[in-house]
């Protein structure tokens, strides 16, 4: 019998009719049944008389399936397969941490702001942005994957539709829709395009990267941002039926929804319902703004995915947005390292790294992007290719530091007692056992701390820019003064001994 | 006959009674009369039977005076003097620009946010902060004056009362009040202290520096911040009667008024009335906050004197505060260059310089301060002494650039048309004749500009950190792209030709 690894895809290709427009005319629903449950997924037409049914089993053991279709060639097809245990690096989908933690382990309140794989393994999103990478040449796509493989990133924001914007104005080779000299046929999907997209999603999965798929966006000269509502829903239904079986997909309904005034707020809510209908797994869902925030309180939104609100500060807003939305906060555009002719894309490596520390220590997450116009033939944020910036390695350093943190860390709460020592810094801590302070662009020479009574600590100085960790030889207790050396971008880690 | 230069002090010392407590008991009022007006100032007791009457004439020509006192030795003393034209560098008090501009020259609206000397000469406050410099040794005070003389600063924030705070906990040699082993006599003032203070104010004036005198502050262990309301008013009356004749004094009612909860908002308003009663010249008046803003709308307040509101940004708030208060905005504590153990005092020279550019190009002003703990025996912000930082010279460079700007510059207003090119930068401009753009911490490689139609410009690149101005060889018109070189802290100046 066929075997499929848990959280991977069981797929069958079926031969059916080519008559009419099977994309539109043929329904194909498959029930996957194990001893306890029955899950129905809708299949899709690939073209040339070929159909596919897909399923991502989340339970091991034997599964049976049976197809229902209005195409008699397909209707009634059935079979079975065995779902095996997941292999070591396969943790399933990324979920909200609160949804996967066993109830006796959950860290109430703080876990609401974080993610975990469905097997309970922690997942800290450290994303990057290559909007149009799948719309570049195959060679460039391969190069992007190579770069990603050797980067600290574990999520990528990427569009399905091509992007038309400064530094990126070329036509792609294929589109989601079939196109001829008369333009797009919005009722027929291009299998070549989707097979490549799926291959890339799978390759991302192999290197541990979540594909944060942007379903609509405004940077368009092909008319793809201005389809009718009916066309949008038809497109969404197809995309979700094809892609939702990949464990590493997230749905971002839009990049900068507010730059698409032709779609109303109610439209987006309706599109969310379409996604939820066809995605039987419940992958993470959000929507990204340019200026006005979407109402991230809405229940279909699993996490906040926002843009910087200010030329100067945004990562600093994480605390406020956590309080406001009570969901994980990802600042998906906090500004990019580079030297492009826009304020959002001309940050130094220092500043982007600072924003990362600032946002992460406040209990949020950020996405990276790179916009150097003069370093190579492509610009990462749009095309992919190579990374040239200085922040990438430092973001990796921060990621490692956060991965090493004990379970249950959360941002230090300012109180009347600790205010004087902490109002001008940020701190992640675990009870009184572990503290990670960060001082941003300040160049402090000495700093005073009042350590919790009766406890002893080892202290490390972390130079977050030079990525050096220096353990101080002493053991500390009570009121202490630590020399930080008058350097910028310093952090201090304290561990109770 | 005695001659006095316009805006300088006519002074007479008079001998009277030593009996009782002349500080309290003796009133001494002098009428100064020229052909058009009669101005009454109140004199003060120095001690040891000596009294003084003072007057700063603001009109040239002959003045007569006559003293009225309840001390018969003094009562009826009279005389006259000639007020001569002001010498070249003597421009009188600093005033609100709108109050001194002739009505056919006034730049309505924008002039509301600026200062000028009473003779109409522009005054751009570029202040610094040495809270307790007059409470240090004479040698150190002289060193401070030498440092100031060679600095770009033209205003200094300074306290009358000594300061008790980190790095500054010593007793001064003298206090405003006479002190013996039983403590202060809050009814008798120490002439030695005041003569030194006056000498310092005068020395500041000689080097073109305004003395922004802080009348009360909370950093105290001598009880001077906790006098009764009656004692406060008694002290104020004396200080204003003695010092208001110096053309270069400004009154800051408090440093961080909100840290003195023993004084109510109504108290401060009442203290302002006391100042206005005894200061017949109407020197500039404000009050400085720690956290909550004083209501700067109040009519007794001539200008906004605020502290940073945020660890990250504050200079950027100038635009908002101008709109809100419609008065000149001075951020008197925007953070200090240094490496002290407080977020407000551990900025790099780059960051303080950036804040200056940011605030000034938004049409506001800032004050400098320096807090290096490891560079010398004293810390400028508190004691005075020497300056070590990197921002001072750059602040001088900015000051020069602003002094070179044409009359009538104002911040560029964002409109639907110019928004796309300007949302992420700040710009000071004069109509379409002159533009000064600033890009802060961005490291932009190229920037696009749409120049006003039908006009031609010369363009200079200004590296605000390296203080280099490079004129580009071309003449520009229409839509242009300028290479800024991917460096931080760049400005672009355009002049119509």
């Amino acid at each position: 019998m066929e075997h499929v690894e848990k959280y991977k895809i069981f797929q069958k290709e079926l031969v059916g009719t080519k008559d009419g427009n099977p994309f539109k005319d043929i329904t194909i629903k498959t029930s996957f049944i194990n001893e306890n449950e029955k899950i129905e997924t809708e299949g899709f037409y690939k073209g040339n008389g070929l159909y596919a049914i897909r399923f991502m089993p989340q339970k091991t053991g034997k599964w049976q399936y049976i197809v229902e279709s209005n195409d008699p060639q397909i209707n009634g097809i059935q079979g079975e397969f065995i779902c095996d245990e997941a292999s070591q690096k396969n943790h399933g989908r990324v979920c909200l941490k609160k949804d996967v933690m066993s109830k006796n382990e959950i860290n109430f309140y703080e876990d609401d702001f974080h993610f975990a794989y469905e097997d309970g393994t922690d997942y800290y999103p450290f994303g990057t942005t290559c909007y149009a990478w799948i719309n570049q040449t195959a060679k460039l796509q391969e190069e992007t994957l190579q770069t990603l493989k050797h980067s600290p990133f574990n999520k990528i924001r990427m569009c399905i539709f091509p992007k038309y914007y400064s530094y990126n104005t070329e036509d792609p080779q294929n589109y989601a829709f079939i196109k001829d000299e008369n333009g797009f046929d919005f009722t027929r999907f291009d299998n070549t395009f989707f097979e490549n997209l799926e291959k890339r999603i799978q390759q991302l999965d192999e290197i541990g990267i979540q594909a944060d798929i942007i379903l609509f966006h405004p940077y368009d000269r092909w008319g793809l941002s201005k389809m009718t509502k009916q066309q949008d829903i038809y497109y969404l239904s197809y995309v979700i039926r094809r892609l939702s079986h990949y464990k590493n997909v997230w749905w971002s309904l839009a990049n900068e929804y507010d730059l698409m005034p032709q779609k109303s707020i109610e439209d987006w809510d309706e599109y969310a319902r379409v996604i939820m209908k066809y995605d039987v797994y419940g992958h993470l869902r959000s929507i990204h703004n340019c200026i006005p925030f979407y109402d991230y309180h809405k229940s279909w939104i699993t996490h906040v995915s926002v843009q910087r609100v200010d030329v100067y500060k945004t990562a600093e807003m994480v605390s406020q947005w956590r309080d406001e939305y009570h969901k994980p906060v990802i600042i998906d555009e906090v500004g990019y390292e580079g030297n492009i002719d826009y304020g959002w894309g001309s940050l130094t490596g220092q500043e982007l790294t600072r924003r990362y520390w600032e946002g992460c220590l406040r209990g949020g997450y950020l996405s990276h992007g790179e916009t150097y116009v003069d370093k190579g033939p492509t610009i990462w944020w749009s095309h992919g290719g190579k990374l040239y910036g200085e922040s990438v390695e430092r973001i990796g350093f921060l990621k490692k530091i956060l991965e090493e943190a004990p379970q249950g860390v959360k941002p230090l709460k300012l109180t009347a007692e600790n205010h004087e020592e902490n109002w001008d810094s940020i701190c992640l801590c675990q009870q009184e056992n572990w503290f990670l302070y960060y001082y941003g662009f300040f160049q402090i020479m000495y700093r005073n701390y009042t350590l919790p009574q009766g406890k002893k600590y080892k202290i490390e100085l972390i130079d977050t820019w030079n990525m050096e960790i220096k353990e101080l030889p002493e053991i500390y207790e009570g009121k202490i003064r630590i020399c930080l050396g008058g350097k910028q971008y310093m952090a201090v880690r304290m561990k109770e001994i």
Side-chain angles (χ1 to χ4, degrees), chain A residues 37-300:
Chain A
E37 44 184 347
K38 175 173 150 184
I39 296 165
E40 292 179 348
T41 75
E42 299 213 21
F44 58 91
Y45 182 58
K46 289 186 150 182
N48 205 23
L50 284 180
Y51 295 79
I53 60 167
R54 285 180 179 167
F55 180 56
M56 173 182 74
Q58 295 164 288
K59 297 268 161 62
T60 54
K62 192 162 101 178
W63 288 86
Q64 295 179 298
Y65 63 91
I66 179 158
V67 179
E68 267 178 88
S69 175
N70 58 356
D71 179 352
Q73 288 182 73
I74 296 172
N75 190 43
I77 288 178
Q78 50 182 297
E80 52 187 40
F81 64 92
I82 302 289
C83 173
D84 298 325
E85 284 295 350
S87 57
Q88 208 197 340
K89 288 195 169 174
N90 173 1
H91 307 292
R93 279 173 314 138
V94 171
C95 304
L96 296 181
K97 186 164 182 178
K98 70 179 169 65
D99 293 339
V100 299
M101 293 301 286
S102 73
K103 296 311 168 220
N104 55 357
E105 278 180 43
I106 197 163
N107 185 353
F108 282 114
Y109 193 79
E110 184 59 25
D111 280 353
D112 291 359
F113 303 109
H114 299 283
F115 301 93
Y117 291 100
E118 61 185 300
D119 72 353
T121 305
D122 275 326
Y123 170 80
Y124 306 103
F126 275 75
T128 188
T129 310
C130 302
Y131 284 122
W133 79 281
I134 62 149
N135 289 300
Q136 311 302 318
T137 63
K139 192 175 158 223
L140 186 51
Q141 292 178 42
E142 292 295 340
E143 188 180 40
T144 303
L145 283 165
Q146 278 308 305
T147 304
L148 286 169
K149 191 176 170 179
H150 299 101
S151 81
F153 301 119
N154 59 16
K155 176 168 102 63
I156 187 167
R157 299 180 66 232
M158 53 187 273
C159 300
I160 290 181
F161 292 142
K163 185 175 178 174
Y164 180 76
Y165 193 71
S166 307
Y167 309 101
N168 189 25
T169 55
E170 299 295 305
D171 283 335
Q173 210 174 350
N174 299 288
Y175 302 85
F177 298 104
I178 286 170
K179 188 172 186 267
D180 63 19
E181 61 285 359
N182 299 318
F184 291 114
D185 179 350
F186 289 116
T187 69
R188 292 171 196 269
F189 297 94
D190 183 338
N191 194 51
T192 310
F193 172 85
F194 276 96
E195 287 198 335
N196 180 64
L197 174 57
E198 289 165 355
K199 176 174 137 192
R200 299 313 180 192
I201 291 173
Q202 206 154 346
Q203 286 172 312
L204 290 172
D205 188 44
E206 282 157 18
I207 54 175
I209 295 181
Q210 303 295 308
D212 194 357
I213 292 186
I214 296 167
L215 296 159
F216 297 99
H217 72 82
Y219 300 104
D220 174 44
R221 66 176 169 84
W222 301 276
L224 296 162
S225 65
K226 292 182 178 163
M227 299 189 297
T228 65
K229 188 166 171 180
Q230 208 188 351
Q231 288 168 335
D232 283 348
I233 290 173
Y234 182 81
Y235 152 78
L236 273 181
S237 135
Y238 187 79
V239 168
I240 309 303
R241 282 181 286 139
R242 267 196 97 136
L243 304 185
S244 62
H245 314 278
Y246 291 90
K247 65 182 163 75
N248 63 324
V249 295
W250 299 22
W251 310 121
S252 178
L253 266 73
N255 186 35
E256 304 186 335
Y257 78 92
D258 47 316
L259 302 189
M260 282 183 281
Q262 61 278 14
K263 304 191 203 299
S264 71
I265 295 292
E266 292 69 32
D267 289 343
W268 295 114
D269 290 344
E270 189 163 344
Y271 296 174
R273 280 190 290 269
V274 173
I275 294 172
M276 292 168 85
K277 176 177 168 193
Y278 293 105
D279 171 7
V280 299
Y281 316 102
H283 290 279
L284 295 169
R285 291 174 300 269
S286 196
I287 184 166
H288 185 66
N289 66 308
C290 179
I291 310 275
F293 274 31
Y294 200 87
D295 181 0
Y296 291 106
H297 290 109
K298 288 191 173 169
S299 69
W300 67 259

Side-chain angles (χ1 to χ4, degrees), chain A residues 204-471:
Chain A
L204 290 172
D205 188 44
E206 282 157 18
I207 54 175
I209 295 181
Q210 303 295 308
D212 194 357
I213 292 186
I214 296 167
L215 296 159
F216 297 99
H217 72 82
Y219 300 104
D220 174 44
R221 66 176 169 84
W222 301 276
L224 296 162
S225 65
K226 292 182 178 163
M227 299 189 297
T228 65
K229 188 166 171 180
Q230 208 188 351
Q231 288 168 335
D232 283 348
I233 290 173
Y234 182 81
Y235 152 78
L236 273 181
S237 135
Y238 187 79
V239 168
I240 309 303
R241 282 181 286 139
R242 267 196 97 136
L243 304 185
S244 62
H245 314 278
Y246 291 90
K247 65 182 163 75
N248 63 324
V249 295
W250 299 22
W251 310 121
S252 178
L253 266 73
N255 186 35
E256 304 186 335
Y257 78 92
D258 47 316
L259 302 189
M260 282 183 281
Q262 61 278 14
K263 304 191 203 299
S264 71
I265 295 292
E266 292 69 32
D267 289 343
W268 295 114
D269 290 344
E270 189 163 344
Y271 296 174
R273 280 190 290 269
V274 173
I275 294 172
M276 292 168 85
K277 176 177 168 193
Y278 293 105
D279 171 7
V280 299
Y281 316 102
H283 290 279
L284 295 169
R285 291 174 300 269
S286 196
I287 184 166
H288 185 66
N289 66 308
C290 179
I291 310 275
F293 274 31
Y294 200 87
D295 181 0
Y296 291 106
H297 290 109
K298 288 191 173 169
S299 69
W300 67 259
I301 299 180
T302 52
H303 60 284
V304 176
S305 163
V306 290
Q307 175 137 198
R308 81 205 171 288
V309 289
D310 187 311
V311 169
Y312 308 91
K313 60 180 274 205
T314 288
E316 298 74 13
M317 302 297 291
V318 163
S319 314
Q320 185 180 320
W321 293 333
R322 280 170 42 122
D323 286 350
E324 187 166 350
Y325 297 109
H326 217 84
K327 295 180 180 180
V329 173
I330 306 183
I331 306 178
D332 271 320
E333 286 186 275
V334 76
Y336 300 134
E337 180 183 345
N339 54 21
I340 210 169
D341 54 321
Y342 303 102
W344 49 259
S346 53
L347 301 183
T348 59
Q350 278 92 341
E351 176 61 10
L352 184 55
T353 306
R354 186 192 73 74
R355 293 182 185 196
Y356 254 85
W357 273 84
E358 186 76 45
C360 287
L361 265 65
R362 288 175 184 272
Y365 299 99
L366 297 92
S367 291
H368 162 271
E370 196 177 286
T371 47
Y372 281 109
V373 292
D374 61 337
K375 304 263 188 198
T378 60
I379 304 184
W380 177 260
W381 131 90
S382 196
H383 318 100
K386 283 200 171 67
L387 283 163
Y388 303 93
E390 298 179 294
S391 62
V392 177
E393 200 183 347
R394 276 86 187 176
I395 291 168
F397 179 75
L398 167 61
K399 186 178 170 213
K400 198 163 155 284
I401 296 231
L402 291 181
E403 286 167 352
E404 288 169 10
Q407 275 293 319
V409 294
K410 56 186 174 186
L412 180 75
K413 235 190 163 66
L414 279 190
T415 64
E417 288 71 41
N418 71 21
H419 183 273
E420 199 187 331
E421 281 184 13
N422 294 285
W423 68 270
D424 55 355
S425 63
I426 44 173
C427 178
L428 204 60
C429 62
Q430 190 226 36
Q431 309 282 351
E432 296 188 336
N433 310 320
W434 186 93
F435 297 89
L436 179 60
Y437 291 93
Y438 179 61
Y439 299 102
F441 55 66
F442 297 146
Q443 50 174 358
I444 291 168
M445 183 57 71
Y446 299 98
R447 188 86 182 177
N448 300 316
Y449 302 89
T450 307
L451 300 177
Q453 245 183 340
K455 304 202 168 198
K456 295 181 181 189
Y457 296 85
K458 283 299 283 181
I459 294 183
E460 292 158 306
L461 298 185
I462 303 177
D463 181 331
T464 69
W465 182 251
N466 293 309
M467 299 177 285
E468 288 163 5
I469 302 178
K470 186 180 145 198
E471 190 183 86

